């Protein structure tokens, strides 16, 4: 199959899913009475928010989407007032941003869970990793810690007791294979797969790179009791504003849940 044909078929599939989601929504109102500017990551989350936007319009809410390519800017933009809300991060990441940067931002609703996975162009399982193998992990504290917790869960390393959700490479107490953890920007890890033996990649970046977390990951985080649910975040002063609750209700809707199931087939799960 050529790349052109594969891309064309994928576009047709996504278009059909959008059409199916739209068909369940009924007629949309001619004019939305409220407006929110929402920051999201580019890629798969744009597809999800396109459905959210359709549901919200039925409730009289117009959503303007602003896309970002890294995890740092959406919280800066929200805190400064350039955005009304964002929907891209899990709670441990938000908590760390608040602690380190002093943001007055709070979560007001859950969105999705995207179990993080390890990928490789060189081995088909973690057990095949050679002694001294290079492992790419995200360089932000929460997702880097998440990667280390994944390797501990799979029995390749042991971390210091009591590290919680934020271990660092300095907390590795046992490393029988002497794995070398290379910290890179999360957005660069998929492109670095040829330069490392394996890499732990956030699902949004994996999907954007054409990787299928269900089929291609050589290890993946547990879906059960996963603490990394993504959230809708707003400035603390806006947390009780009923307009923002329209956004939450639109995201946590049956239409969006159905779209997630049909489009992502288990790699991206509803978190409400």
């Amino acid at each position: 199959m050529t790349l052109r044909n594969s891309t064309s078929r994928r576009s047709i599939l996504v278009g059909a899913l959008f059409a199916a989601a739209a068909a369940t929504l009924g007629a949309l109102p001619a004019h939305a009475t409220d407006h929110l500017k929402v920051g999201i990551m580019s890629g798969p989350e744009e597809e999800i928010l396109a459905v959210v936007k359709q549901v919200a319009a039925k409730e009289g809410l117009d959503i303007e989407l602003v896309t970002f390519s890294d995890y740092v800017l959406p919280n800066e933009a929200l805190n400064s007032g350039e955005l009304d809300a964002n929907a891209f991060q899990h709670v441990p990441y938000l908590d760390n941003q608040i602690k380190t940067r002093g943001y007055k931002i709070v979560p007001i609703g859950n969105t999705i869970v995207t179990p993080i996975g390890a990928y490789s162009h060189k081995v088909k399982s973690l057990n095949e990793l050679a002694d001294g193998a290079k492992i790419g992990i995200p360089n932000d504290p929460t997702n880097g810690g998440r990667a280390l917790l994944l390797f501990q869960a799979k029995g390749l390393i042991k971390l210091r007791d009591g590290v919680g959700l934020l271990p660092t490479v300095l907390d590795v107490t046992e490393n029988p294979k002497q794995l070398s953890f290379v910290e890179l920007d999360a957005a660069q890890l998929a492109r670095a797969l040829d330069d490392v033996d394996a890499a732990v990649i956030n699902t949004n970046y994996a999907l954007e790179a054409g990787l299928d977390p269900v089929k291609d990951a050589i290890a993946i985080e547990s879906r059960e009791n996963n603490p990394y649910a993504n959230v809708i975040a707003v400035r603390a002063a806006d947390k009780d504003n009923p307009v923002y609750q329209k956004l939450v209700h639109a995201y946590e809707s049956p239409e969006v849940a159905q779209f997630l199931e049909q489009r992502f087939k288990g790699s991206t799960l509803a978190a409400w």
Side-chain angles (χ1 to χ4, degrees):
M1 182 185 295
T2 66
L3 177 60
R4 180 177 297 174
N5 287 339
S6 176
T7 302
S8 175
R9 291 183 183 182
R10 182 179 177 184
S11 298
I12 291 170
L13 172 61
V14 172
L17 290 173
F18 280 152
T24 68
L25 300 177
L28 301 180
H31 301 286
T33 57
D34 297 306
H35 178 87
L36 292 178
K37 186 181 289 188
V38 181
I40 61 172
M41 299 302 294
S42 61
E45 291 181 20
E46 292 179 82
E47 299 177 29
I48 301 169
L49 266 293
V51 180
V52 175
K53 185 172 180 175
Q54 290 177 322
V55 178
K58 270 190 79 174
E59 304 302 321
L61 174 63
D62 175 56
I63 297 175
E64 178 184 351
L65 299 178
V66 181
T67 59
F68 296 86
S69 59
D70 70 67
Y71 291 148
V72 175
L73 295 178
N75 280 333
E76 291 182 1
L78 175 58
N79 194 67
S80 68
E82 296 174 46
L83 298 174
D84 298 306
N86 64 42
F88 79 100
Q89 64 195 321
H90 50 66
V91 172
Y93 183 85
L94 174 58
D95 287 346
N96 184 259
Q97 288 271 292
I98 292 169
K99 180 180 178 181
T100 59
R101 297 173 183 263
Y103 294 145
K104 297 188 182 304
I105 297 173
V106 297
I108 60 169
N110 289 345
T111 59
I112 55 177
V113 174
T114 54
I116 203 168
Y119 301 83
S120 178
H121 286 169
K122 299 176 181 178
V123 299
K124 296 186 182 301
S125 75
L126 292 181
N127 291 333
E128 294 179 17
L129 289 171
D131 289 354
K134 287 171 74 173
I135 311 299
I137 64 172
N139 64 358
D140 66 270
T142 52
N143 288 305
R146 195 176 179 184
L148 293 172
L149 288 168
L150 174 62
F151 269 68
Q152 176 173 255
K154 301 304 178 182
L156 275 79
I157 63 172
K158 187 172 181 180
L159 298 167
R160 180 173 56 81
D161 290 341
V163 292
L165 297 177
L166 294 173
T168 72
V169 292
L170 298 178
D171 294 312
V172 177
T173 58
E174 295 182 22
N175 185 1
K177 288 194 171 187
Q178 295 299 302
L179 301 175
S180 174
F181 292 100
V182 181
E183 296 174 289
L184 300 171
D185 183 84
Q188 305 300 319
L189 284 163
R191 290 192 285 272
L193 277 173
D194 288 332
D195 301 318
V196 296
D197 296 293
V200 181
I201 306 174
N202 290 84
T203 294
N204 61 306
Y205 291 129
L207 290 170
E208 196 170 345
L211 296 167
D212 184 333
V214 176
K215 297 178 181 178
D216 297 329
I218 60 173
I220 198 158
E221 203 172 53
S222 172
R223 291 165 171 78
E224 301 299 323
N225 301 314
N226 191 305
Y228 298 101
N230 281 16
V231 295
I232 296 168
V234 303
R235 289 180 295 279
D238 297 320
K239 66 183 178 66
D240 297 320
N241 188 324
V243 175
Y244 292 77
Q245 289 305 312
K246 290 184 180 182
L247 172 60
V248 175
H249 294 155
Y251 208 122
E252 297 179 353
S253 66
E255 294 90 343
V256 174
Q258 181 182 29
F259 179 77
L260 293 174
E261 183 177 350
Q262 293 178 346
R263 171 67 178 89
F264 298 106
K265 303 186 186 307
S267 65
T268 299
L269 310 170
W272 62 89

